[in-house]
Amino acid sequence: MKATGIVRRIDDLGRVVVPKEIRRTLRIREGDPLEIFTDREGEIILKKYSPIGELGQFAKQYVDSLAQTTGHIVAITDKDQFIAAAGPTKKDLLSKSISRELEEIINERESVIASSDDKKYIRITNEDDSEFTYQVISPIISEGDAIGSVIILTKDSKVKFGEMEDKLASTASAFLGRQMEQ
């Protein structure tokens, strides 16, 4: 755990203000759910709650099946990081933060299909991910809220994504959204 040097008092209603700098760094916005943990030493830990994170094992199995069937890289994200990934570069994606551009696409509920030399192509991580030649991104919508995305990627320059990959990503995101509603 990293000390910030910031001290806050609890008000008469039991509230504590999380400083703006910390909210900005951790991408916490008004209305975002936080999960509360305690430990034996009396520490209280606040963690951004990821509803799609509850699908952890299920999401991993789903991307494994989709990657095996398509031969492409498949990933599932929440609005902060990669939850599950399958394919040759899964270790490069797992637990990485998503880019601000991808977060915007999710929030705007846009689907994207683009090649790396297309203007619509977006970075999916904050690091250089230019090795991917095509991408399909489909937002996951649950109970009216955009909660994540399904992404299909390839590094093969001979492969061009089309309607099939778009439909696969859309189907996967719709299915995962419905799973979250149950």
Side-chain angles (χ1 to χ4, degrees):
M1 209 171 353
K2 188 168 83 172
T4 63
I6 301 170
V7 176
R8 293 287 195 244
R9 295 195 183 278
I10 296 177
D11 72 9
D12 59 339
L13 295 176
R15 298 177 295 199
V16 177
V17 174
V18 177
K20 187 176 188 175
E21 307 83 43
I22 293 174
R23 292 193 318 260
R24 188 180 309 129
T25 303
L26 298 178
R27 295 171 150 176
I28 298 172
R29 283 179 223 80
E30 181 181 329
D32 282 353
L34 297 176
E35 202 167 6
I36 302 169
F37 298 91
T38 59
D39 68 8
R40 293 182 183 182
E41 288 83 46
E43 293 177 321
I44 297 172
I45 299 144
L46 299 176
K47 184 178 177 186
K48 262 185 103 169
Y49 175 71
S50 169
I52 202 157
E54 292 180 8
L55 291 178
Q57 190 61 30
F58 181 76
K60 183 184 176 331
Q61 292 170 350
Y62 199 98
V63 295
D64 284 342
S65 296
L66 205 50
Q68 190 174 27
T69 302
T70 64
H72 301 309
I73 301 153
V74 182
I76 296 174
T77 73
D78 62 14
K79 289 174 72 174
D80 294 307
Q81 66 181 353
F82 286 82
I83 301 299
T89 59
K90 74 177 183 182
K91 287 185 172 68
D92 296 339
L93 295 174
L94 275 177
S95 297
K96 280 196 177 167
S97 295
I98 67 169
S99 68
R100 294 234 183 253
E101 295 92 338
L102 179 54
E103 185 180 6
E104 287 174 20
I105 293 294
I106 293 169
N107 288 333
E108 293 170 8
R109 302 159 188 252
E110 286 184 42
S111 289
V112 173
I113 181 167
S115 68
S116 57
D117 47 340
D118 191 342
K119 289 181 182 178
K120 291 191 303 184
Y121 189 86
I122 63 160
R123 285 182 23 247
I124 58 170
T125 68
N126 290 320
E127 298 170 19
D128 181 28
D129 52 26
S130 59
E131 76 259 23
F132 302 119
T133 56
Y134 256 93
Q135 67 182 191
V136 173
I137 301 168
S138 182
I140 300 170
I141 311 295
S142 177
E143 296 179 352
D145 295 327
I147 61 169
S149 67
V150 173
I151 303 172
I152 302 176
L153 304 160
T154 188
K155 291 182 175 184
D156 188 348
S157 58
K158 297 174 186 165
V159 173
K160 294 190 180 192
F161 283 177
E163 189 177 344
M164 183 185 75
E165 289 81 8
D166 189 30
K167 295 280 188 209
L168 281 171
S170 295
T171 301
S173 63
F175 179 77
L176 291 168
R178 286 193 190 96
Q179 287 298 309
M180 291 302 303
E181 292 171 355
Q182 293 180 357

